[in-house]
Amino acid sequence: MATFGKITNGIGDIAGGNNLVSVCLGIPITSGFLQSLSFRVTITSGTVNFKGLIYDDNGGEPGTIQAISNPVAISGAGGQTVIIIFSSAYRILAEKKYWIGVVADVGSYQISGNGITDNLYLSGTGSYSNPNNPPSSWTKIAWISDFWVSYQEDFQNKKLFFHKIYNGATFVKTLDPKIVMNKPAFGWSINGGMGEMQIDLALTLKEFG
């Protein structure tokens, strides 16, 4: 699972608000499919309902809403890390700018982050019940919140390795995913005799980054 956004623990907090949309800029280095959005938050009273939001970029500000997560209700004292799941299979594109964050129904919360001069945190009054309607204007602050996205990378970002059995010893062959293996050239066999490559789809065909 790959991530992008701010994963490190913040040293401060920024106050939330009713129907406030809070987002920061994030840029993935690989492509894949969206899984979840995480953030660190302190609930100051009661229960707060959050939805995760993903916007594309429009000239340095959030543009069109791309994905809205399932809602999650958070309560309890002290800071905590919250993971919000997206049910739709939205595709994340490498090197594309995204604005990632949350909207909440009430304002009794604080989100962890850091003040930083070269980053913009944007907030605006939106709608928790209908996040498809973005804020009409954004407030810019030199701040970065602890927002990060997890996504399942595409297969082409991975490599393969096969176990080769030879006289009881195991060797590993690493292959770039763009290379095509032809059976006659490599002489592998599903039965796996001496000196042949044995492929066990359940056990020995794996991916790694």
Side-chain angles (χ1 to χ4, degrees), residues 14-88:
I14 193 166
N18 294 13
N19 291 300
L20 187 71
V21 177
S22 304
V23 293
C24 287
L25 186 65
I27 305 175
I29 62 173
T30 56
S31 299
F33 287 94
L34 175 64
Q35 301 290 319
S36 64
L37 182 144
S38 302
F39 63 104
R40 280 180 277 271
V41 65
T42 299
I43 306 301
T44 55
S45 67
T47 299
V48 182
N49 295 291
F50 292 95
K51 293 177 182 177
L53 306 175
I54 309 289
Y55 294 88
D56 63 8
D57 180 72
N58 181 22
E61 290 191 355
T64 305
I65 188 76
Q66 300 295 303
I68 302 171
S69 78
N70 299 325
V72 60
I74 305 299
S75 60
Q80 52 190 303
T81 298
V82 177
I83 301 175
I84 308 181
I85 303 299
F86 289 82
S87 57
S88 59

Side-chain angles (χ1 to χ4, degrees), residues 24-25 33 74 84 95-96 98 106 117 126 128 144 153 188 195-196 201 206:
C24 287
L25 186 65
F33 287 94
I74 305 299
I84 308 181
E95 306 299 334
K96 182 176 179 178
Y98 293 97
V106 296
T117 57
Y128 172 83
I144 181 168
E153 288 181 284
W188 55 263
E196 297 172 326
L201 294 179
K206 300 182 182 296

Side-chain angles (χ1 to χ4, degrees), residues 16 19 46 50 73 78 86 105-106 108 116 121 129 134 145 156-157 160 185:
N19 291 300
F50 292 95
F86 289 82
D105 59 345
V106 296
S108 52
I116 183 169
Y121 161 95
S129 60
S145 289
Q156 60 262 31
N157 296 320
L160 301 177

